[in-house]
């Protein structure tokens, strides 16, 4: 059991204390078919447009449509122009507490037993232009180390999601449908996050889990990650499981109105997520609100 506990602690620390790894393409895009008959070209992406084609190069929407990557409602009574309203919040028997960001970027419910860290040191915060910092794009982390459960809030420019894939962002980036196909966008967000987290692999978007709000500003999806196990037979002996999978419930928002995308990721080992802990993590994601930063 001691060996398994160390495994969980190591995996948790990798999730909570991610650093920015060098960007590198995970999939070759040169031969990925797009919505049209035109073939995507990563090198030619600097000439992409929002819709249609330019100089026979597929547009951003076509690129995202074709890319294949293996895979406090009580606090907010109305849809004020300065706040985004949380969706219906999943009920849970686990006691929760509300964290309100001291500089007014967001608020979220987290389990009361979780520790919470709001990063404030300049070098730890993501750059406003690139979304990168010593801790990747993370600005807030909460969790339970003993159970390897983590809630993380990330903030980065919406344009950075495209630029990092060699796509020149143009046109409307204020809703997810205008950026591209929601499933493809979810995969790009997952891909970007994986690059910040060495030690994890084979993360995929769960089929059928992607949804977009009516106004197009909130994207929700679920991820599943296979965790490498060095000695599966020992794991089976100690826990009754021969493999480890991490389930992550995610929500990305464009409601801050400042060009920044904010996303929350709540994760746990599959066996824990399927119980009451999963309801608490879903509650956290449901309650997450990115506050409008536009001056009134």
């Amino acid at each position: 059991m001691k060996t398994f506990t160390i495994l969980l602690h190591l995996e948790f620390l990798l999730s909570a204390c991610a650093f920015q790894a060098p960007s590198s393409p995970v999939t070759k895009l040169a031969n990925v078919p797009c919505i049209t008959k035109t073939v995507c070209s990563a090198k030619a992406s600097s000439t992409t447009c929002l819709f249609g084609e330019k100089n026979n190069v597929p547009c951003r929407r076509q690129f995202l449509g074709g890319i294949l990557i293996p895979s406090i409602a009580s606090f907010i009574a109305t849809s004020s122009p300065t706040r985004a309203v949380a969706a219906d919040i999943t009920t849970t028997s686990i006691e929760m507490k509300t964290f309100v960001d001291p500089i007014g970027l967001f608020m979220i419910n987290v389990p009361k037993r979780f520790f919470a860290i709001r990063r404030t040191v300049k070098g730890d915060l993501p750059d406003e232009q690139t979304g990168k910092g010593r801790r990747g794009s993370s600005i807030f982390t909460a969790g339970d180390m003993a159970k390897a459960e983590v809630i993380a809030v990330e903030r980065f420019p919406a344009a950075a999601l495209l630029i990092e894939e060699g796509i020149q962002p143009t046109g409307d980036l204020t809703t997810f449908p205008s950026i591209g196909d929601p499933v493809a966008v979810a995969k790009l967000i997952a891909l970007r996050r994986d690059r910040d987290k060495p030690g994890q692999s084979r993360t995929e978007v769960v089929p059928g889990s992607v949804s977009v709000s009516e106004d197009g500003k909130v994207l929700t999806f679920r991820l599943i990650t296979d965790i490498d196990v060095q000695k599966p037979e020992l794991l089976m002996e100690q826990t009754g499981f021969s493999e480890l999978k991490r389930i992550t419930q995610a929500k990305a928002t464009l409601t801050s109105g400042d060009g920044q995308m904010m996303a929350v990721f709540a994760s746990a080992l599959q066996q824990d997520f399927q119980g009451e802990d999963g309801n608490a993590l879903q509650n956290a994601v449901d309650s997450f609100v990115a506050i409008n930063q536009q001056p009134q």
Side-chain angles (χ1 to χ4, degrees):
M1 181 59 70
K2 184 177 180 181
T3 303
F4 177 62
T5 302
I6 292 173
L7 264 174
L8 289 183
H9 285 187
L10 178 59
E11 203 280 333
F12 174 84
L13 288 172
L14 285 172
S15 297
C17 305
F19 61 86
Q20 181 65 34
S23 296
S24 59
V26 175
T27 181
K28 187 175 181 181
L29 303 176
N31 296 315
V32 178
C34 293
I35 292 175
T36 64
K37 295 180 180 179
T38 308
V39 175
C40 290
S41 170
K43 293 182 179 179
S45 59
S46 60
T47 60
T48 55
C49 56
L50 182 61
F51 295 105
E53 298 183 358
K54 183 177 181 180
N55 299 327
N56 294 321
V57 177
C59 71
R60 182 178 70 241
R61 187 175 181 86
Q62 291 168 338
F63 173 88
L64 291 175
I67 187 172
L68 297 175
I69 305 172
S71 311
I72 320 201
S74 61
F75 181 79
I76 311 169
T78 61
S79 54
S80 159
T82 60
R83 295 176 180 145
V85 181
D88 293 337
I89 298 178
T90 301
T91 58
T92 175
S93 62
I94 293 176
E95 189 174 1
M96 307 291 283
K97 59 186 177 183
T98 299
F99 178 88
V100 180
D101 183 49
I103 62 174
L105 291 179
F106 68 94
M107 51 191 167
I108 186 173
N109 290 341
V110 299
K112 192 172 182 179
R113 72 176 190 272
F114 279 23
F115 73 83
I117 300 173
R118 172 59 164 101
R119 295 184 175 85
T120 56
V121 179
K122 186 176 181 181
D124 284 345
L125 294 173
D127 182 84
E128 290 285 331
Q129 301 302 316
T130 66
K132 297 177 181 179
R134 283 197 295 260
R135 305 290 184 181
S137 298
S138 177
I139 62 172
F140 172 83
T141 302
D144 181 343
M145 182 175 289
K147 302 188 74 172
E149 296 177 356
V150 189
I151 297 172
V153 174
E154 300 186 6
R155 183 173 184 262
F156 54 90
L161 189 67
L162 304 175
I163 293 172
E164 290 170 6
E165 296 302 322
I167 313 169
Q168 184 60 42
T170 58
D172 182 18
L173 299 178
T174 62
T175 68
F176 287 101
S178 68
I179 293 175
D181 175 71
V183 174
V185 174
K187 289 179 178 179
L188 286 181
I189 294 172
L191 178 62
R192 184 182 195 278
R193 189 164 187 258
D194 269 359
R195 282 201 293 259
D196 289 349
K197 304 166 81 67
Q200 290 195 7
S201 59
R202 303 189 298 279
T203 296
E204 297 182 357
V205 175
V206 175
S209 69
V210 180
S211 65
V212 182
S213 62
E214 250 181 68
D215 62 3
K217 292 183 177 293
V218 179
L219 176 72
T220 58
F221 54 96
R222 180 169 290 188
L223 305 171
I224 185 167
T225 303
D226 291 331
I227 301 173
D228 291 330
V229 177
Q230 298 300 320
K231 297 181 178 180
E233 66 283 353
L234 180 60
L235 179 66
M236 172 64 80
E237 180 184 332
Q238 294 180 340
T239 69
F241 297 97
S242 61
E243 61 181 7
L244 289 177
K245 293 180 182 290
R246 175 170 285 278
I247 303 297
T248 302
Q249 187 64 35
K251 179 164 73 174
T253 74
L254 293 168
T255 56
S256 60
D258 57 357
Q260 299 285 320
M261 185 181 297
M262 293 190 69
V264 59
F265 303 89
S267 65
L269 294 177
Q270 187 174 44
Q271 57 267 35
D272 293 324
F273 199 97
Q274 291 172 343
E276 188 57 34
D277 285 6
N279 289 335
L281 293 173
Q282 183 68 63
N283 177 291
V285 172
D286 293 344
S287 71
F288 176 76
V289 173
I291 301 173
N292 194 323
Q293 300 299 301
Q294 292 181 328
Q296 299 301 310

